[in-house]
Amino acid sequence: MKNKKRSKKNYIYLAAGIILLVLFLYWQNNDIVTTNISYTNKKIPSAFNGYVIVQISDLHNMRFGTEQSDLIGKVKKAEPDMIVITGDMIDNMHMDIAVALEFAREAIKIAPVYYIPGNHEARIEDYAGLARSLSDLGVILLENEKTLIELNQSTIELMGIIDPFFSPASQSLSSLNIQNTNSFKILLSHRPELIKFYAAKNIDLVFTGHAHGGQIRIPFTNIGLIAPDQGFFPKYTSGIYVESNTTEIVSRGLGNSAFPFRVFNRPEIIVVTLQSESSHEY
């Protein structure tokens, strides 16, 4: 009788453990965190002091609420002046373009949206169709292109390159014809591990993703377990990295791909507020 009671109790503990694990993984994979970063550079014009950029990366067809309502709510709360998407809106292994377009359709109502494709976009047969759909919604594609962002007669440069699965990063960067001027330069790129390439071009601020935060993170550290194209214990997974005069921001992203779970690595949007040093002078 005692053995039967003990066995029944063990089953109850096991079931409770499984339920807690499922709830924990659901929370880890669906509860979005907002990471706020204040970035100061003397090259930022005073007109752009307080300018807010929201970064979205690696959505991978993930849906947060009906028609992305939870994700859109987080973005709207940040009151951005610009939204940048750094690749992998879709997932080539279980592609659903409609999910990506749900976010784009609502995001464009909040602020101008700029987008560069990642490696998963490079792997699908009809990337041209996705790009056309995004463009029709009003999203601005930066495929080895640059543009000027103007505000009160001041400008900053915004550039974007396609993923190396389309063409080598060195070729993409060269095609931008980046001039060594005193203008403030922002680059959108999918790959964080190419930071030395960006630094060689004297780019001031780079937004990247791709690493999924290392997928499984060691609590209370900035260490992730594994990332695409970086392997185990990757160097660039989350947060801020500096190489020479280049600051790179790596988003942990929102969705998953081959490995379906995030552990100690909740989905993330990044909110960067630009600060001009000149605005603090008296």
Side-chain angles (χ1 to χ4, degrees), residues 7-8 17 28 58 76 81 83 90 118 129 137-138 140-143 161 179 188 194 197 201 209-210 221 231 241 275:
S7 178
K8 184 177 181 181
Q28 286 284 295
D58 298 272
K76 192 176 293 186
D81 297 289
I83 299 168
I90 52 88
L137 289 173
I140 301 167
L141 280 64
L142 295 177
E143 299 173 328
I161 59 172
Q179 302 297 316
L188 309 183
L194 302 178
F197 284 86
K201 294 293 184 179
H210 188 52
T221 74
Y241 303 86
Q275 302 288 344

Side-chain angles (χ1 to χ4, degrees), residues 44-61:
I44 298 173
S46 58
F48 283 85
N49 186 61
Y51 193 88
V52 176
I53 303 172
V54 165
Q55 180 191 10
I56 299 295
S57 196
D58 298 272
L59 185 62
H60 284 287
N61 294 143

Side-chain angles (χ1 to χ4, degrees), residues 8-281:
K8 184 177 181 181
K9 189 178 292 186
N10 288 340
Y11 280 124
I12 292 172
Y13 288 151
L14 177 61
I18 292 172
I19 291 170
L20 288 174
L21 178 61
V22 169
L23 291 173
F24 173 74
L25 290 175
Y26 181 84
W27 172 59
Q28 286 284 295
N29 285 267
N30 291 274
D31 189 46
I32 303 169
V33 297
T34 299
T35 300
N36 291 285
I37 297 172
S38 180
Y39 173 81
T40 302
N41 191 308
K42 64 182 179 182
K43 293 167 68 175
I44 298 173
S46 58
F48 283 85
N49 186 61
Y51 193 88
V52 176
I53 303 172
V54 165
Q55 180 191 10
I56 299 295
S57 196
D58 298 272
L59 185 62
H60 284 287
N61 294 143
M62 185 73 172
R63 182 178 273 123
F64 296 91
T66 305
E67 296 185 346
Q68 303 289 11
S69 57
D70 293 347
L71 177 56
I72 287 295
K74 292 277 187 180
V75 173
K76 192 176 293 186
K77 187 176 180 180
E79 299 182 345
D81 297 289
M82 174 196 298
I83 299 168
V84 298
I85 303 173
T86 49
D88 285 2
M89 288 189 76
I90 52 88
D91 193 295
N92 72 293
M93 290 183 284
H94 45 86
M95 189 175 67
D96 188 344
I97 288 180
V99 177
L101 296 182
E102 281 177 355
F103 172 75
R105 188 176 295 110
E106 296 304 313
I108 200 66
K109 299 174 185 177
I110 302 171
V113 178
Y114 297 85
Y115 161 83
I116 55 105
N119 57 297
H120 278 257
E121 282 90 348
R123 290 170 174 159
I124 64 174
E125 291 184 4
D126 191 24
Y127 168 67
L130 171 63
R132 185 167 54 251
S133 295
L134 289 170
S135 183
D136 288 345
L137 289 173
V139 175
I140 301 167
L141 280 64
L142 295 177
E143 299 173 328
N144 298 344
E145 296 173 276
K146 58 183 176 181
T147 187
L148 290 178
I149 308 300
E150 300 184 18
L151 186 62
N152 297 335
Q153 299 181 325
S154 295
T155 60
I156 60 177
E157 290 185 58
L158 178 65
M159 300 169 278
I161 59 172
I162 57 180
D163 188 82
F165 264 88
F166 288 99
S167 66
S170 56
Q171 180 179 320
S172 294
L173 285 166
S174 295
S175 69
L176 290 173
N177 191 26
I178 301 169
Q179 302 297 316
N180 191 18
T181 64
N182 199 43
S183 65
F184 180 67
K185 301 176 180 64
I186 298 175
L187 175 69
L188 309 183
S189 177
H190 191 56
R191 305 288 187 116
E193 70 273 14
L194 302 178
I195 187 171
K196 291 186 185 296
F197 284 86
Y198 315 142
K201 294 293 184 179
N202 292 313
I203 296 164
D204 300 295
L205 182 61
V206 186
F207 289 90
T208 65
H210 188 52
H212 297 190
Q215 202 69 52
I216 298 172
R217 298 186 66 76
I218 299 174
F220 312 112
T221 74
N222 195 33
I223 299 173
L225 181 62
I226 190 169
D229 300 291
Q230 294 187 69
F232 286 100
F233 300 107
K235 184 176 181 179
Y236 308 103
T237 61
S238 175
I240 300 171
Y241 303 86
V242 177
E243 180 80 24
S244 299
N245 295 317
T246 296
T247 298
E248 176 180 78
I249 294 173
V250 183
S251 169
R252 296 199 307 273
L254 290 157
N256 301 303
S257 184
F259 188 78
F261 302 114
R262 290 170 168 262
V263 182
F264 301 112
N265 179 26
R266 286 155 63 196
E268 174 186 56
I269 69 168
I270 289 180
V271 180
V272 175
T273 302
L274 302 183
Q275 302 288 344
S276 171
E277 286 187 355
S278 62
S279 68
H280 301 293
E281 295 176 358

